Amino acid sequence: MRPHLRILFLVLLAAGLGLAGPTTRASAQTPAAERFQGFLVATGLSGERVVLATSIRASGAFEGVGKIIEVPNLPTDPDNVSRDDLVFREGTLHLVNANQDFQFSLDPRSCQASFTAHQVSSFDGGTGLFKGATGTGIGLVEGRGVAQRAPDGSCSPDLLPAHEKENVSGTGTLNF
């Protein structure tokens, strides 16, 4: 798979718009169970990846709804790593994801794509309530999308997907 497609399909453990739902402040002094579930919708029709909508719900040590901001990787990050900020009213969690395996399939007739990624993730500090946050977990990303077509009518591996939707979930521990 081309590097920019691999990066495009590397997904977030968690995302959100900060829509409805009250949040509960908790202060976990020792690692406590945390669970995330949500989705992300993006398009590449403009030639750049544009996130259209996200939603994530966190439950466990921290209860809340937030959003995700995709963060550029560090120059020293390996190809299987992606970074995200999970932004809640109470603060921002810095998240580092490492894909453990990645499956991708593409129907050459319809350009319909599907993918699954299993990830190991860690929290690397944050702001507000999450300053100094630590923890680890596992995540699953399952997505579907539509590849853009090349001038010859084939599914283009060089263009960003026209549309994609990713369902994300994760479990682990969070200490903040």
Side-chain angles (χ1 to χ4, degrees):
M1 177 182 287
R2 306 244 182 214
H4 80 275
L5 283 177
R6 184 178 62 242
I7 291 168
L8 172 65
F9 288 125
L10 296 179
V11 191
L12 318 169
L13 173 64
L17 278 176
L19 298 175
T23 60
T24 302
R25 289 182 186 223
S27 183
Q29 299 302 319
T30 58
E34 190 68 43
R35 171 174 241 120
F36 294 94
Q37 188 167 8
F39 72 88
L40 178 135
V41 177
T43 181
L45 287 172
S46 70
E48 293 187 30
R49 178 177 167 83
V50 177
V51 176
L52 301 172
T54 63
S55 179
I56 189 68
R57 181 166 296 278
S59 58
F62 171 75
E63 303 272 338
V65 176
K67 65 180 178 178
I68 191 159
I69 305 295
E70 296 177 329
V71 177
N73 283 5
L74 299 176
T76 56
D77 286 339
D79 287 343
N80 70 326
V81 167
S82 62
R83 293 176 178 268
D84 305 297
D85 280 347
L86 305 182
V87 181
F88 298 95
R89 283 183 232 147
E90 293 82 355
T92 299
L93 271 168
H94 301 311
L95 180 65
V96 180
N97 305 300
N99 281 333
Q100 299 303 297
D101 66 66
F102 185 82
Q103 293 89 39
F104 177 81
S105 65
L106 178 67
D107 180 335
R109 293 184 131 172
S110 67
C111 291
Q112 296 282 327
S114 63
F115 58 93
T116 303
H118 292 89
Q119 299 176 322
V120 173
S121 301
S122 62
F123 294 108
D124 187 23
T127 66
L129 183 64
F130 306 111
K131 184 177 182 180
T134 60
T136 59
I138 57 171
L140 174 65
V141 181
E142 297 176 299
R144 295 191 165 279
V146 178
Q148 294 188 61
R149 293 200 179 266
D152 67 1
S154 65
C155 304
S156 176
D158 298 319
L159 297 172
L160 294 171
H163 304 283
E164 67 177 279
K165 181 180 182 208
E166 304 161 357
N167 294 309
V168 298
S169 61
T171 59
T173 60
L174 176 61
N175 184 19
F176 60 101

